[in-house]
Amino acid sequence: MPLFDLPLAQLRSYTSGVTPPKDLQAFWDATVGEARAYPLDATFEPVENYLTVIDTFDATFSGFGGAPIKGWLHLPANREAGARLPVVVTYIGYSGGRGLVNQDTRWAQAGYAHFIMDTRGQGYGGLVGDTADPHPSAGDVAHAGLMTRGISSREDYYYRRVYVDAFRAVEAAQSHPAVDPAKVVLAGVSQGGGLVVATAGLTAGRLDGVIAALPDVPFLQDFPRAIDITPRGPYPEIAQFLARHRDRYDAAMEVLNYFDGVNLAAWASVPALYSAAQMDDICPPSTVFASFNAYGSAAASGGNPGKEMEVYRFNNHEGGQEHHWIRQLQFLRKLLG
């Protein structure tokens, strides 16, 4: 795959033309407030994982609309009794779910508590999932994927529900007695990276305890540009939907603007380590840099809450993979001391 997006020098200064709706703050204040009206009801049931160094709990908590959301909580088996650990809350890539009980325990292997959120209505590709999406809009006329589900209104759009689930996943992780609620790290790749950005923005000023964000080749950023230039899914789901529904572009973009990571990144106030891949034709680097350059811009930090970008020039959407995880470990070690 050749380089198809802007040159690196232009990427570093690229800013999106996306501007936040005037009522963006009010919309999300109301949405989060509505979600928190439901009891969190977080439960953690010990489960056999066939591993001797990791203890795993089958987690359930109340997400958007009070719907039950599944997850895994992994803890180092050799943790000190009564100690509280920093927790890495992980979000999953598009089409994937939480996976099997022992499929991803690497953060717990590194000494952290590790909470993995299942993604409602997904788990049909990649990792298996266990959480349904019961919302009525799941049956709307839409593209066969998830990107246009409920796109007729901001209240019904699919990612409103998922962003709320991601917010409440932080609260669920914080509720476990082995977790230090003041040391929450958000991590994820692709869609998971997009949920990191959204959650970093939505928790700012609404929920204490998040200390870092690790969005890796994040999806859901700079929708207008992504829809125009991205050749490979999932963004083309929106283009294909609009190719049939030719009169709905303006209305669709108005809805998507409430969920664009560029707008939510601006609210974030915690240190962040982003990654971008210059040959990425799923989450083009310009869309990632649009998010990175907006990150923290509306926060008291003045636009740079300690954010860093790692660029992988010769990689497609796989990004830095195991190399980038080492970079993340170093970033957190420096942050946590």
Side-chain angles (χ1 to χ4, degrees):
M1 179 72 193
L3 298 177
F4 72 99
D5 206 341
L6 301 173
L8 184 57
Q10 292 182 32
L11 289 172
R12 295 198 185 280
S13 60
Y14 172 72
T15 55
S16 171
V18 167
T19 56
K22 291 181 180 179
D23 63 345
L24 184 66
Q25 184 88 40
F27 172 75
W28 281 111
D29 282 344
T31 294
V32 172
E34 177 185 313
R36 292 173 117 179
Y38 292 90
L40 182 62
D41 287 338
T43 62
F44 301 89
E45 298 295 332
V47 61
E48 176 62 68
N49 64 13
Y50 310 102
L51 304 174
T52 59
V53 296
I54 304 293
D55 293 332
T56 297
F57 300 83
D58 186 352
T60 307
F61 65 95
S62 295
F64 181 91
I69 308 298
K70 299 297 293 183
W72 298 123
L73 176 66
H74 301 300
L75 299 172
N78 66 349
R79 64 192 181 280
E80 182 181 343
R84 287 180 172 263
L85 300 172
V87 61
V88 178
V89 177
T90 297
Y91 306 111
I92 306 301
Y94 191 79
S95 82
R98 65 176 179 167
L100 301 181
V101 63
N102 56 15
Q103 200 160 359
D104 180 9
T105 63
R106 59 181 180 169
W107 285 109
Q109 292 175 55
Y112 298 91
H114 185 196
F115 188 95
I116 302 173
M117 186 190 86
D118 205 17
T119 310
R120 65 166 63 215
Q122 299 190 34
Y124 56 86
L127 302 176
V128 68
D130 296 298
T131 302
D133 180 14
H135 196 271
S137 70
D140 267 357
V141 174
H143 185 272
L146 298 162
M147 296 302 297
T148 59
R149 183 172 292 178
I151 202 169
S152 60
S153 78
R154 63 184 187 173
E155 286 77 17
D156 290 340
Y157 187 51
Y158 172 72
Y159 279 101
R160 181 177 182 232
R161 304 191 288 281
V162 179
Y163 285 6
V164 165
D165 295 345
F167 183 103
R168 301 228 80 189
V170 174
E171 295 180 302
Q174 289 175 314
S175 73
H176 193 277
V179 167
D180 185 339
K183 294 181 180 178
V184 179
V185 177
L186 310 174
V189 181
S190 192
Q191 175 185 256
L195 295 181
V196 167
V197 173
T199 308
L202 292 175
T203 54
R206 297 185 178 94
L207 178 63
D208 294 333
V210 175
I211 61 168
L214 308 176
D216 192 1
V217 291
F219 181 47
L220 306 168
Q221 317 297 305
D222 198 1
F223 279 114
R225 180 169 176 81
I227 294 167
D228 282 352
I229 73 167
T230 308
R232 200 155 60 104
Y235 286 121
E237 292 179 16
I238 302 173
Q240 291 162 17
F241 173 80
L242 294 172
R244 169 49 51 201
H245 301 280
R246 296 170 174 86
D247 58 342
R248 296 183 63 178
Y249 176 80
D250 289 341
M253 298 312 298
E254 183 177 343
V255 169
L256 292 173
N257 204 20
Y258 286 89
F259 307 93
D260 200 311
V262 171
N263 290 330
L264 299 178
W267 293 343
S269 60
V270 299
L273 173 62
Y274 273 71
S275 78
Q278 279 194 263
M279 295 184 177
D280 192 342
D281 62 352
I282 291 178
C283 295
S286 58
T287 66
V288 176
F289 271 92
S291 176
F292 176 77
N293 290 330
Y295 188 91
S297 59
S301 57
N304 187 8
K307 62 184 181 182
E308 301 177 25
M309 172 69 82
E310 196 73 28
V311 178
Y312 297 94
R313 178 178 176 84
F314 297 104
N315 289 96
N316 202 306
H317 192 54
E318 75 279 0
Q321 295 181 305
E322 68 276 13
H323 297 274
H324 191 64
W325 188 55
I326 293 173
R327 179 74 173 84
Q328 291 174 329
L329 288 169
Q330 294 169 337
F331 182 84
L332 293 185
R333 181 172 293 182
K334 181 179 179 180
L335 180 69
L336 292 167

